[in-house]
Amino acid sequence: MNEQTEAALDRLSHVFVNPLRSPILRTPAEEDIEFEEVTFPSGDGVPLEGWFLPADSDRLVIANHPMGFNRAGLPAHLEPWVSIWGPSGNGFEVDFIPDYRILHDAGYNVLAYDLRNMGLSGAANGGAVTSGLHEARDVLGSIRYAARRADTASMKVALFSRCLGANSTFAAMRQDASAFEDVRCLVACQPVSDRVIMSRLLDILGVGADHLDELDRRVRLRTSIGFDQRPDATWARYARLPTYLYGVHDDSLTLPTDLEQMIKAIDVEDKELAWVHGTTARWDGYLEFQRRPEPMLRWFDRHLS
């Protein structure tokens, strides 16, 4: 292995395990939405930070975010994120505030929060991201928090889980299925299997997907948790509620077969897989809701009515 490959593998394993925390540069105040800064414990006690956006209804959407993002999105148009994500065609900002504007205008209360080790939430597990394995506890914490707040306890609840957040949701369903008994539905944006996305990244960086096992070894040495122990497409089988799954079909960082395996694994009749076409940028999948929210809103409306 030459020095360049060695350095690339070391850098990628570090960025994958301990992604740089992204700053919260936007708030719902930009859209003139009333909101409350909230904090609540994860399932294992890690303090999580978030926003609660009240609406005049009995319907609540709980939203989380992708790896390295936070509840506000990701300033991938700025350094160092543009250098990190630019090579894959994702060097532009993802702003989630318009998502909350749309949900709020549609009559939904919103609880948006930062996963552990991201945004302003607490550090845990040595700062390591575990592809949803430990972040599942944050999903469980958000559901329990909503169930214990006086103003949300009796609300109809839906989940809007994105990428790492969606992986974490599948893992939470595996960990404690009973916690989802009162959750009406899930909208899952671009969950992903580590072996798929890391193989694609290795090719994009010029290292080659044939070094995936070596990358896996380095990730295991840093975290004790290899790719095969982390949530992947097969974990979608733990979903037991109506699920709307969507993503970029020609995403440069994944393969369509990954989401196709997930929708097949979800063992409910009420499920749907939708594709975003005309782009290879994964970030366009994260922006799809604010560009074309109607299918997701119909899903929420149908299951929370």
Side-chain angles (χ1 to χ4, degrees):
M1 187 183 304
N2 61 42
E3 289 185 8
Q4 184 177 1
T5 298
E6 181 81 25
L9 286 169
D10 192 56
R11 184 171 61 254
L12 185 54
S13 64
H14 178 73
V15 170
F16 176 67
V17 170
N18 299 109
L20 181 68
R21 280 188 188 247
S22 57
I24 296 174
L25 300 181
R26 301 184 181 279
T27 77
E30 296 183 11
E31 293 282 346
D32 296 321
I33 306 173
E34 176 188 351
F35 71 100
E36 175 188 351
E37 298 273 2
V38 299
T39 183
F40 54 90
S42 174
D44 58 1
V46 175
L48 304 178
E49 304 293 326
W51 296 318
F52 176 66
L53 288 62
D56 187 18
S57 79
D58 65 347
R59 302 179 297 172
L60 172 67
V61 173
I62 302 177
N64 59 23
H65 59 81
M67 185 182 80
F69 287 54
N70 57 57
R71 70 192 108 144
L74 181 72
H77 59 306
L78 304 176
E79 292 291 356
W81 297 277
V82 68
S83 290
I84 294 170
W85 294 109
S88 64
N90 293 289
F92 54 93
E93 182 182 18
V94 175
D95 175 8
F96 286 145
I97 303 303
D99 290 26
Y100 308 140
R101 168 87 273 170
I102 291 167
L103 287 167
H104 186 268
D105 286 352
Y108 292 98
N109 297 269
V110 178
L111 173 63
Y113 66 97
D114 300 329
L115 295 164
R116 64 185 58 208
N117 299 313
M118 298 176 207
L120 294 175
S121 287
N125 313 113
V129 175
T130 59
S131 308
L133 188 66
H134 292 147
E135 294 82 2
R137 302 165 187 171
D138 306 340
V139 176
L140 295 173
S142 70
I143 294 171
R144 290 169 187 166
Y145 174 67
R148 292 169 182 172
R149 271 184 69 114
D151 54 353
T152 59
S154 61
M155 288 185 180
K156 303 167 186 174
V157 177
L159 302 181
F160 187 10
S161 302
R162 307 176 182 101
C163 190
L164 170 64
N167 282 39
S168 304
T169 300
F170 292 148
M173 292 168 172
R174 174 180 182 263
Q175 187 178 126
D176 185 4
S178 65
F180 295 84
E181 289 178 355
D182 295 324
V183 176
R184 300 292 187 92
C185 69
L186 166 66
V187 170
C189 175
Q190 305 192 135
V192 65
S193 300
D194 285 349
R195 286 190 173 275
V196 173
I197 195 168
M198 300 315 289
S199 292
R200 301 287 280 179
L201 268 173
L202 286 169
D203 279 339
I204 289 169
L205 295 174
V207 177
D210 55 322
H211 288 90
L212 182 63
D213 287 343
E214 174 57 21
L215 179 62
D216 181 25
R217 185 186 72 84
R218 292 173 187 236
V219 168
R220 184 179 290 108
L221 288 175
R222 287 181 181 273
T223 65
S224 303
I225 305 167
F227 294 152
D228 290 342
Q229 297 167 274
R230 296 163 179 253
D232 63 10
T234 66
W235 288 45
R237 69 184 184 275
Y238 298 110
R240 291 291 187 273
L241 66 163
T243 301
Y244 183 94
L245 188 65
Y246 70 98
V248 172
H249 186 273
D250 299 319
D251 182 355
S252 65
L253 290 172
T254 63
L255 296 169
T257 52
D258 203 31
L259 288 187
E260 289 168 355
Q261 289 175 25
M262 291 184 199
I263 199 68
K264 184 177 181 180
I266 295 172
D267 191 20
V268 297
E269 290 187 9
D270 193 1
K271 59 184 178 180
E272 185 173 339
L273 172 60
W275 291 113
V276 179
H277 292 285
T279 180
T280 61
R282 184 170 181 80
W283 280 200
D284 282 324
Y286 301 141
L287 294 172
E288 178 70 3
F289 177 75
Q290 57 195 252
R291 292 170 175 168
R292 284 171 287 273
E294 293 82 10
M296 300 79 152
L297 288 178
R298 283 196 297 269
W299 193 263
F300 287 135
D301 289 345
R302 180 155 66 87
H303 294 95
L304 296 184
S305 62

